[in-house]
Amino acid sequence: MSAETSIKTAVFPVAGDRSPLQPATRATPKELLPILDKPMIQLAVEEARAAGCERFVFVTRPGATHLQHYFAADPAYEATLEARYGAEVAEASRSARLSPEEAVFVEQRERRGLGDAVACAREVVGDAPFAVLLPDDVILGAPPALAQMTARWDGRGAMIAGIEVTRLQVSRYGVMRIDDTGGDIVDVTGLEEKPDSDVTASNFAITGRYILPSTIFDAIAQTPADANGAVQLTDAIARLISHTPTRALRFTGERFDCGRLGGLVRAQVAFALQREELKDDAAAYMRRALLRLDQTR
Ligand code: G1P
C-alpha cells in the first residue's frame, strides 16, 4: 500500500456554534454557508475525496441533523430539479450525496475544544492514521491541499498544513516552531495554541488540515483543558512530537479564513475568478466597481 492511498478516513469537526457571522448563522450552520454555490463542508468533503478518503466523519452538536439531510439522497427532489432545470443542475445536487457507508455522524456532547471534538471520532477511526479538515479554512489549491499532504506523507507520524502569517495575526492561530531548512516540508519542534504576538518566536501557523496517527487519541486524553475549558488539538500534537515524527507542509495554494467576513469575501472573489462561466463577468464588474471607488476617493 503506498502512502498516498493510506488515509481513508477524514474527520470534520463541525460542532462549534459560536460564529461571528451574524445573522447568517442564526439558522444556517457555518459549514453550510456557500462559497458561490457550494457549502464549505462540501468543498472540504471533495478535498478529502480527492486525497483518497472514503469515509467522512462529521463531529456535530448534539441533536444536529442538518448534515444528515444535506448529504442524504433525495430522489424525488432531484427528479423535480431535473424536470425544472435540467440534468446538469440535478447532477450538481446529486454530487453532494454520501452513502450511509461513507458518512458517519458522531456527537460532541459538550463544547470542549477541537482536541475533544477529534477524540469523539476515536471509535470510528480505530487504529489507522486519519485526516482532519476544518471546513472554514477554505483552500484553493491544485492539487487540493490535503492531496498535496498525502502525496508527501511517508506513512509515519503527523503532518500539518502550515502558512506564514503576520506577527499581528499569530494570536489567532496555533503556531509551530520549525527546523526551517527552507524547503516545503519542515520538522516541527514545538507547538503553541494562540500565543501572544509579542511572546512567540514563530509566525508559522497551523492551517486546518492535519494528517494524524491514531496515537493522537491517547495524547488528547492526557491533555488538560486550557483556561477556557477547551482541550486543544495543538496541545495534544505537542505531546506527540518527542516520540513521533511531526512535519509541516508549506502547501501551494491560497487559504481563506471563511469563519470571518474578510476571508469569506476574498474566497467568493477568488472562486468566481476560477469559474469559466463566471470569471469574465466577475472581472468586468470588479474593474467597474474599483474605478467607481477610485473616483469617490
Ligand atoms: C483552530 C486551531 C488552530 C489553527 C486554526 C486554523 O483554531 O485550534 O491551531 O491555527 O484552527 O484555522 P480556531 O480557528 O478554531 O480558533
Side-chain angles (χ1 to χ4, degrees), residues 4-295:
E4 205 170 337
T5 56
S6 58
I7 303 288
K8 294 293 177 211
T9 305
V11 175
F12 305 87
V14 286
D17 60 0
R18 281 194 217 125
S19 163
L21 302 170
Q22 295 295 337
T25 53
R26 282 169 72 91
T28 305
K30 184 169 62 171
E31 67 275 10
L32 282 179
L33 295 182
I35 308 298
L36 304 184
D37 43 14
K38 263 184 204 173
M40 294 181 204
I41 191 69
Q42 177 74 33
L43 292 167
V45 166
E46 288 177 10
E47 185 178 328
R49 214 193 266 288
C53 295
E54 294 170 351
R55 208 159 45 137
F56 308 95
V57 186
F58 303 94
V59 183
T60 70
R61 289 181 289 286
T65 54
H66 56 279
L67 289 182
Q68 275 96 322
H69 289 300
Y70 176 80
F71 290 116
D74 189 341
Y77 175 66
E78 291 151 6
T80 311
L81 280 181
E82 182 144 0
R84 275 201 200 143
Y85 303 107
E88 207 177 313
V89 171
E91 198 37 55
S93 183
R94 270 185 216 111
S95 71
R97 286 182 178 187
L98 291 179
S99 70
E101 294 74 45
E102 289 174 314
V104 184
F105 300 91
V106 297
E107 292 182 349
Q108 183 182 22
R109 272 193 227 115
E110 288 171 72
R111 285 174 42 88
R112 293 192 57 233
L114 183 57
D116 180 71
V118 170
C120 297
R122 182 172 197 158
E123 260 178 56
V124 185
V125 169
D127 283 340
F130 63 103
V132 174
L133 297 94
L134 308 186
D136 58 359
D137 270 342
V138 171
I139 302 178
L140 197 53
L146 189 66
Q148 293 178 38
M149 293 168 72
T150 51
R152 301 295 299 281
W153 185 60
D154 63 3
R156 296 178 317 126
M159 184 179 272
I160 305 167
I163 49 166
E164 256 89 30
V165 297
T166 66
R167 281 258 135 218
L168 282 176
Q169 289 172 331
V170 292
S171 56
R172 279 198 226 152
Y173 293 93
V175 169
M176 300 181 264
R177 273 196 307 281
I178 52 174
D179 244 353
D180 201 352
T181 47
D184 56 351
I185 298 239
V186 288
D187 283 330
V188 178
T189 56
L191 296 106
E192 206 181 345
E193 181 68 7
K194 306 201 172 83
D196 284 343
S197 302
D198 40 358
V199 184
T200 177
S202 172
N203 66 333
F204 192 53
I206 297 175
T207 309
R209 303 290 182 276
Y210 310 76
I211 294 174
L212 297 170
S214 59
T215 48
I216 191 69
F217 293 120
D218 281 342
I220 295 171
Q222 288 156 12
T223 302
D226 66 11
N228 300 318
V231 177
Q232 297 295 349
L233 183 59
T234 305
D235 295 343
I237 300 172
R239 288 176 168 260
L240 286 185
I241 56 178
S242 62
H243 50 88
T244 307
T246 305
R247 300 191 185 87
L249 176 72
R250 289 191 168 101
F251 58 93
T252 331
E254 200 173 354
R255 173 257 183 189
F256 304 95
D257 178 358
C258 291
R260 290 163 174 268
L261 211 41
L264 203 51
V265 172
R266 283 193 286 274
Q268 307 289 354
V269 172
F271 276 66
L273 292 175
Q274 293 269 315
R275 277 270 281 272
E276 222 30 70
E277 78 277 25
L278 290 177
K279 70 177 184 194
D280 291 342
D281 182 59
Y285 174 75
M286 279 185 264
R287 280 193 204 101
R288 286 199 305 277
L290 287 175
L291 214 59
R292 275 202 303 271
L293 187 68
D294 286 344
Q295 282 161 358

